[in-house]
């Protein structure tokens, strides 16, 4: 994308073309997620499944917007990751890795979670299996258990907590509400299932070629991680991240060698000393100038040598593989939501397996949030007009019934 194009007027959902690009990306990433889940079988190598997810996105995005005057950038916005059991995020192994799935594994199928390290813990934001069309990004994360039949016990609790928190967030991320409203609500939901929100996870506003905009929702408040209060506005786009745990919710980096996902830091410069480093960084700059990438896309032996110097001098931003304690269960739900004039439009998702949690929702506040509609109805009747900031809406419009068994709204 040229500098002139970057300087053009910022595009948002007031443009029908922009909405179409978001929804096209969403359709592709939803189908990619469905494909990845179908490939998740016992004894299957994780790297092979990740490659199939990425390949599908590259193939499908390559088939759209081919006959246009201006070149449209499109493709993988973040590599596919499959994080198993107590692994929180970012596990996307190299081709030489022999890790396989096992019966009963709890899989987080996603792209990435970025955390900032503070006092030995990691804080930041999560994102996921993601696709973009012309820089308009659709992201999704889903939790799947590798077993037949209903999910029970604490595994069901942690997934229900994440999904119910996501449903509440969907109903509260609307014009006029504030980010702190969402933070307080999802913490209450997790507690209802006797689970923890994983510390420091941020949900970000997204814009063209920007996956981590300035407006954020902090999942769990902490003295070391504060965010500026912000109000949601019409025509904005958000990637809502919910990560829950049966453990203490404080993920840690155990092995730096597991890191395989990186993003070029476009604001940094340094004259690399090693030939291998210069070669690798030149390749990265050509192939992945903006979006994150997997080291699988590089020649493995040369990449191992060159990436270290690039990271040490902050030319690349690494996305570490983080862990909860062994035996803890972790669930991750992420969706992309468009704040349209007629309400919140969730464009990425996948149906849950049947859940039989040990807990149920009795809290009146949570029940009230879940009863809210995701669409808005302007008061006064008459011909529908484009909403304006400050218009009053009927928050009870088009409420969707919750499935009390799964802690989820019925999916198509």
């Amino acid at each position: 994308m040229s500098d002139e194009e970057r300087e053009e007027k910022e595009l948002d959902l007031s443009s029908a073309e922009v909405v179409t690009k978001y929804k096209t990306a969403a359709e592709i990433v939803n189908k990619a997620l469905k494909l990845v889940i179908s490939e998740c079988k016992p004894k299957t190598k994780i790297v092979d499944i990740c490659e199939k997810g990425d390949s599908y996105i590259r193939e499908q995005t390559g088939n759209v917007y081919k006959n246009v005057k201006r070149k449209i950038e499109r493709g993988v916005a973040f590599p596919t990751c499959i994080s198993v059991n107590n692994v929180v995020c970012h596990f996307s192994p190299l081709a030489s890795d022999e890790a396989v799935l096992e019966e009963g594994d709890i899989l987080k199928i996603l792209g990435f979670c970025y955390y900032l390290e503070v006092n030995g813990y990691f804080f930041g934001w999560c994102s996921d299996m993601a696709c973009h069309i012309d820089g308009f990004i659709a992201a999704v994360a889903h939790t799947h258990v590798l077993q037949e039949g209903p999910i029970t016990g604490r595994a069901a609790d942690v997934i229900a907590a994440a999904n119910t928190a996501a449903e509440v967030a969907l109903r509260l991320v609307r014009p006029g509400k504030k980010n702190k409203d969402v933070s307080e609500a999802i913490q209450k939901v997790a507690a209802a299932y006797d689970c923890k929100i994983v510390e420091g996870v941020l949900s970000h506003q997204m814009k063209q070629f920007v996956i981590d905009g300035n407006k954020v929702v902090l999942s769990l408040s902490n003295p070391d991680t504060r965010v500026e209060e912000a109000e949601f506005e019409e025509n904005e786009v958000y990637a809502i991240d919910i990560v829950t745990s049966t453990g203490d919710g404080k993920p840690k980096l155990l092995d730096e060698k597991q890191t395989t996902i990186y993003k070029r830091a476009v604001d940094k410069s340094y004259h690399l000393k090693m030939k291998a480093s210069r070669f690798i960084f030149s390749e990265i700059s050509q192939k992945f100038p903006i979006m994150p990438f997997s080291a699988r896309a590089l020649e493995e032996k040369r990449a191992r040598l060159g990436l270290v110097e690039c990271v040490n001098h902050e030319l690349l931003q690494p996305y570490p593989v983080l862990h909860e304690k062994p035996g803890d269960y972790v669930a991750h739900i992420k969706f992309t939501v468009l704040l349209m004039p007629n309400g919140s439009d969730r464009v990425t998702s996948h149906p849950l397996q049947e859940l039989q949690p040990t807990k149920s929702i009795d809290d009146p506040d949570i029940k009230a949030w879940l009863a809210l509609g995701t669409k808005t109805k302007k008061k006064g009747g008459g011909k529908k007009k484009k909403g304006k900031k400050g218009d009053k809406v009927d928050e009870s419009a088009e409420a969707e019934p919750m499935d009390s068994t799964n802690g989820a709204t019925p999916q198509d």
Side-chain angles (χ1 to χ4, degrees):
M1 185 170 61
S2 69
D3 292 337
E4 290 78 12
E5 289 171 333
R6 286 182 181 278
E7 292 172 359
E8 288 179 358
K9 182 180 178 182
E10 184 177 293
L11 297 172
D12 63 18
L13 299 179
S14 60
S15 164
E17 183 181 4
V18 169
V19 174
T20 298
K21 288 175 179 176
Y22 272 118
K23 290 190 173 183
T24 301
E27 181 179 1
I28 291 172
V29 82
N30 283 335
K31 290 180 178 178
L33 174 59
K34 182 178 180 180
L35 170 67
V36 167
I37 291 173
S38 72
E39 295 290 333
C40 289
K41 301 171 184 176
K43 304 304 179 183
T44 304
K45 289 175 65 174
I46 295 176
V47 63
D48 292 342
I49 305 172
C50 292
E51 272 297 323
K52 287 184 179 181
D54 291 347
S55 295
Y56 181 86
I57 291 176
R58 286 193 292 267
E59 176 187 339
Q60 294 301 309
T61 54
N63 290 332
V64 298
Y65 290 93
K66 293 189 293 186
N67 301 316
V68 292
K69 294 180 180 179
R70 178 174 68 86
K71 181 182 177 182
I72 298 292
E73 295 183 38
R74 56 205 189 275
V76 176
F78 205 92
T80 304
C81 300
I82 300 177
S83 301
V84 180
N85 297 329
N86 64 307
V87 180
V88 177
C89 58
H90 296 157
F91 191 75
S92 188
L94 299 176
S96 59
D97 194 286
E98 297 295 326
V100 298
L101 299 178
E102 300 290 352
E103 182 74 22
D105 281 346
I106 299 180
L107 317 177
K108 280 75 66 186
I109 302 167
L110 56 144
F112 67 102
C113 306
Y114 173 66
Y115 288 81
L116 170 66
E117 185 177 6
V118 179
N119 297 329
Y121 297 110
F122 288 83
F123 301 92
W125 52 279
C126 295
S127 190
D128 324 280
M129 181 184 234
C131 163
H132 81 97
I133 303 292
D134 198 20
F136 298 105
I137 302 164
V140 67
H142 183 74
T143 300
H144 181 80
V145 182
L146 207 57
Q147 70 172 59
E148 298 293 333
I151 313 305
T152 61
R154 293 296 282 154
D157 289 343
V158 77
I159 298 172
N163 189 71
T164 305
E167 293 292 343
V168 167
L170 174 63
R171 288 156 173 78
L172 295 181
V173 177
R174 61 172 69 202
K177 292 288 188 180
K178 295 183 178 180
N179 51 357
K180 67 176 183 179
D181 299 329
V182 180
S183 301
E184 293 168 357
I186 62 178
Q187 291 173 46
K188 195 166 191 175
V189 171
Y193 287 97
D194 195 21
C195 293
K196 297 284 183 66
I197 293 289
V198 172
E199 284 194 356
V201 176
L202 299 182
S203 299
H204 278 259
Q205 182 186 7
M206 297 194 295
K207 299 180 180 180
Q208 188 179 25
F209 289 103
V210 178
I211 204 166
D212 53 347
N214 291 331
K215 284 189 178 182
V216 299
V217 178
L218 180 61
S219 295
L220 183 65
S221 57
N222 183 288
D224 295 313
T225 53
R226 298 183 183 277
V227 299
E228 185 176 344
E229 185 174 299
E231 184 175 310
F232 304 113
E233 298 181 59
E234 191 174 291
N235 293 324
E236 292 179 338
V237 179
Y238 287 87
I240 302 300
D241 263 301
I242 309 292
V243 186
T244 54
S245 173
T246 60
D248 62 11
K250 298 178 179 180
K252 293 184 178 181
L253 170 64
L254 300 182
D255 185 0
E256 291 184 355
K257 293 180 181 179
Q258 287 187 317
T259 301
T260 62
I261 307 294
Y262 303 87
K263 180 183 178 183
R264 183 169 170 247
V266 295
D267 60 335
K268 302 289 184 179
S269 62
Y270 175 79
H271 182 69
L272 294 163
K273 302 298 189 293
M274 293 174 56
K275 183 178 179 180
S277 304
R278 294 195 297 271
F279 180 89
I280 286 295
F281 189 68
S282 175
E283 184 179 359
I284 291 168
S285 298
Q286 292 175 24
K287 293 182 177 179
F288 312 104
I290 300 174
M291 298 296 182
F293 64 93
S294 167
R296 286 194 305 273
L298 310 172
E299 195 278 313
E300 189 168 331
K301 185 175 180 181
R302 183 174 283 175
R304 286 185 182 278
L305 293 172
L307 288 172
V308 174
E309 188 181 8
C310 292
V311 171
N312 287 343
H313 294 283
E314 300 182 337
L315 296 180
L316 296 177
Q317 172 185 314
Y319 294 86
V321 178
L322 301 179
H323 300 251
E324 278 276 58
K325 295 176 183 177
D328 292 340
Y329 296 134
V330 179
H332 189 175
I333 301 291
K334 182 190 181 80
F335 61 91
T336 301
V337 59
L338 315 182
L339 302 190
M340 302 295 290
N342 67 337
S344 300
D345 190 357
R346 177 177 179 171
V347 294
T348 58
S349 66
H350 188 82
L352 288 172
Q353 296 164 282
E354 182 185 349
L355 303 178
Q356 295 179 359
T358 67
K359 313 291 182 181
S360 60
I361 295 296
D362 298 316
D363 186 281
D365 289 337
I366 298 176
K367 288 184 175 181
W369 291 325
L370 292 172
L372 294 174
T374 59
K375 301 298 181 183
T376 57
K377 184 187 297 181
K378 304 298 180 184
K379 291 187 176 181
K383 186 177 180 180
K384 291 185 178 179
K385 297 181 180 180
K386 182 179 178 180
K388 296 180 180 179
K389 187 177 178 181
D391 284 349
K392 292 185 177 180
V393 299
D394 180 0
E395 291 193 342
S396 65
E398 299 186 30
E400 298 175 358
M402 289 288 294
D403 181 336
S404 59
T405 300
N406 278 11
T409 53
Q411 302 282 346
D412 292 332

